[in-house]
Amino acid sequence: MDNKKIRVALTHGDTNGIGYELIFKAFESSMMFDICTPVIYGSPKIATYHCDALGIDKKMFSIISNASEAKDNRINLLMAFNEDIKVDLGMPSQDASRAAIKSLDRAITDYKEGLFDVLVTAPVEEDNMHVDGFNFPCNERFIESCVSGNKKGLDILVSNSLRLSSLTGDIALRDVPAAITTACVIEKVAMLYTALRRDFCIESPRIAVLALNPNDSEAHPGKEEQEIITPALQKLSDTGVCVFGPYQSERFFANGDFMAFDAVLSMYEDQGRAPLKALNPDGNVHYLAGLPIISTSPDVTPRYDIAGKGKADAQAMRNAIYLAVDCFRRRTAFDAPYANPLQKIYKERKDESEKVRFAIPKKRAPHKDAGKREENDSSAQSAATTHTETTA
């Protein structure tokens, strides 16, 4: 496998929050530069402001104008925009969201030109993202629209002990039952299964699916479980996917049953996220699966309450970088055998079933001229015998 350093693009997120602090702290250890080359998509002026507020040496980053100029063993800061943005630490504002959008937009443009390998996004305030015609509720939806058109990705929340995805995402709870369909269950489980094999290097992943209704049981199954979820799981199982359920959420997490599985699919957001965060409060990472780009983000908010005070914990950001690099290498290794398949040098029989291979060959029907050929053969043999006797 190629051991070159992975080029990691980092967006600075909400500029009034802890984005720059997370990035600078994540690369305080020189060991981080052994695995990747970081490129921050941001603003030198804003980065300098944060360094002054945090007491960080401004020499820790180099300013570049193009991602191709990035150097190893140091932080590279690419000027994503040149406008003056007011920084008001700890206060949400449209200017801060506008800066976050410009950073992400420039990063996506460079991704399309192949200038970096993976993307890690710093936290944004989703309630303030609708500025200047930006009609996306979060970074992930914008990334999807730019790199895959109408195809949606799958958000996987990754902790030390659990990988979790939601069937219906962040919709209102009252809309959840109507959003649960057999096709949706099959699609999300299939996406999760593919991501676990391709990006997490799990050859035969085991996936657990949670029930919707709290009183669902084998004796008294709920409507959605009986009519939608269970039939969908059976269809998936018939294709070879190791999927199990539906399980009651309370017993599933309380008994530690989740430890027997590689990933869990919940019916709605809080059903799985609340137990996961109770088990793993810090250091969690969002992984956006199912897209051409490898994209991660730390599971944190802009934390306006501690912005500029040097109190932010950078472990989630480090984990996001680690996960992005690992998934990139795993996906590269997984895809390599399929890149140049061998050409077939013979035409295969289409039907190689047991019935064909072990069938008794049918007898050929006698040819209509077979009788005449036998007569001719007998006459020829008789003539040959007479000729031999005469010669003698």
Side-chain angles (χ1 to χ4, degrees), residues 207-280:
I207 299 173
V209 176
L210 301 183
L212 173 65
N213 297 293
N215 297 321
D216 172 71
S217 65
E218 292 186 6
H220 303 284
K223 178 182 177 181
E224 288 79 9
E225 286 76 13
Q226 186 175 22
E227 298 179 3
I228 300 173
I229 302 174
T230 299
L233 301 189
Q234 184 59 55
K235 290 182 179 179
L236 287 161
S237 181
D238 291 342
T239 64
V241 177
C242 296
V243 59
F244 306 88
Y247 296 102
Q248 283 297 313
S249 177
E250 180 181 1
R251 291 194 294 268
F252 182 79
F253 288 104
N255 298 337
D257 295 338
F258 65 91
M259 298 180 67
F261 298 92
D262 298 299
V264 177
L265 180 68
S266 65
M267 290 295 104
Y268 53 93
E269 193 106 329
D270 291 345
Q271 184 186 35
R273 184 167 294 190
L276 183 147
K277 291 193 173 184
L279 294 166
N280 303 275

Side-chain angles (χ1 to χ4, degrees), residues 31-47:
M31 295 179 61
M32 293 294 293
F33 297 106
D34 293 336
I35 64 170
C36 68
T37 299
V39 180
I40 303 176
Y41 283 76
S43 164
K45 295 179 182 179
I46 297 176

Side-chain angles (χ1 to χ4, degrees), residues 1-296:
M1 183 187 297
D2 187 2
N3 291 318
K4 75 177 181 70
K5 291 182 181 179
I6 305 301
R7 188 160 292 189
V8 179
L10 301 114
T11 61
H12 62 189
D14 189 304
T15 52
N16 290 343
I18 60 173
Y20 274 106
E21 182 178 352
L22 293 177
I23 297 172
F24 290 149
K25 283 186 174 181
F27 287 93
E28 283 179 338
S29 172
S30 60
M31 295 179 61
M32 293 294 293
F33 297 106
D34 293 336
I35 64 170
C36 68
T37 299
V39 180
I40 303 176
Y41 283 76
S43 164
K45 295 179 182 179
I46 297 176
T48 300
Y49 185 96
H50 278 265
C51 285
D52 291 339
L54 298 167
I56 296 175
D57 186 359
K58 293 184 284 291
K59 295 181 180 179
M60 74 177 303
F61 64 84
S62 297
I63 300 174
I64 59 176
S65 58
N66 191 285
S68 60
E69 302 171 3
K71 304 296 183 183
D72 294 339
N73 302 317
R74 67 178 299 102
I75 297 176
N76 302 272
L77 196 151
L78 186 148
M79 186 184 298
F81 55 91
N82 198 29
E83 296 90 339
D84 289 332
I85 299 290
K86 181 183 178 182
V87 179
D88 192 3
L89 291 174
M91 298 296 294
S93 72
Q94 288 195 341
D95 279 346
S97 296
R98 188 174 291 110
I101 294 169
K102 290 180 180 294
S103 168
L104 181 59
D105 185 60
R106 175 61 187 274
I108 293 297
T109 299
D110 280 4
Y111 167 75
K112 293 179 179 179
E113 296 179 7
L115 295 178
F116 63 82
D117 299 308
V118 301
L119 175 65
V120 179
T121 57
V124 297
E125 177 55 55
E126 296 183 357
D127 292 338
N128 289 332
M129 292 294 284
H130 298 281
V131 295
D132 299 338
F134 188 84
N135 295 319
F136 302 93
C138 58
N139 287 338
E140 289 75 17
R141 302 293 84 79
F142 178 68
I143 295 171
E144 289 172 352
S145 68
C146 291
V147 303
S148 64
N150 295 326
K151 182 180 179 182
K152 290 186 177 181
L154 182 68
D155 180 27
I156 304 176
L157 185 57
V158 181
S159 72
N160 290 331
S161 59
L162 182 62
R163 301 179 190 91
L164 173 74
S165 189
S166 169
L167 179 71
T168 55
D170 55 355
I171 66 174
L173 189 58
R174 65 176 179 270
D175 299 327
V176 168
I180 298 176
T181 64
T182 300
C184 184
V185 174
I186 292 175
E187 179 188 14
K188 291 297 177 69
V189 172
M191 290 179 67
L192 187 56
Y193 178 80
T194 300
L196 292 172
R197 295 187 70 240
R198 190 182 181 205
D199 299 338
F200 290 86
C201 200
I202 302 174
E203 184 175 354
S204 183
R206 293 167 54 86
I207 299 173
V209 176
L210 301 183
L212 173 65
N213 297 293
N215 297 321
D216 172 71
S217 65
E218 292 186 6
H220 303 284
K223 178 182 177 181
E224 288 79 9
E225 286 76 13
Q226 186 175 22
E227 298 179 3
I228 300 173
I229 302 174
T230 299
L233 301 189
Q234 184 59 55
K235 290 182 179 179
L236 287 161
S237 181
D238 291 342
T239 64
V241 177
C242 296
V243 59
F244 306 88
Y247 296 102
Q248 283 297 313
S249 177
E250 180 181 1
R251 291 194 294 268
F252 182 79
F253 288 104
N255 298 337
D257 295 338
F258 65 91
M259 298 180 67
F261 298 92
D262 298 299
V264 177
L265 180 68
S266 65
M267 290 295 104
Y268 53 93
E269 193 106 329
D270 291 345
Q271 184 186 35
R273 184 167 294 190
L276 183 147
K277 291 193 173 184
L279 294 166
N280 303 275
D282 303 311
N284 303 318
V285 177
H286 289 275
Y287 179 67
L288 187 57
L291 300 179
I293 189 174
I294 299 289
S295 177
T296 65

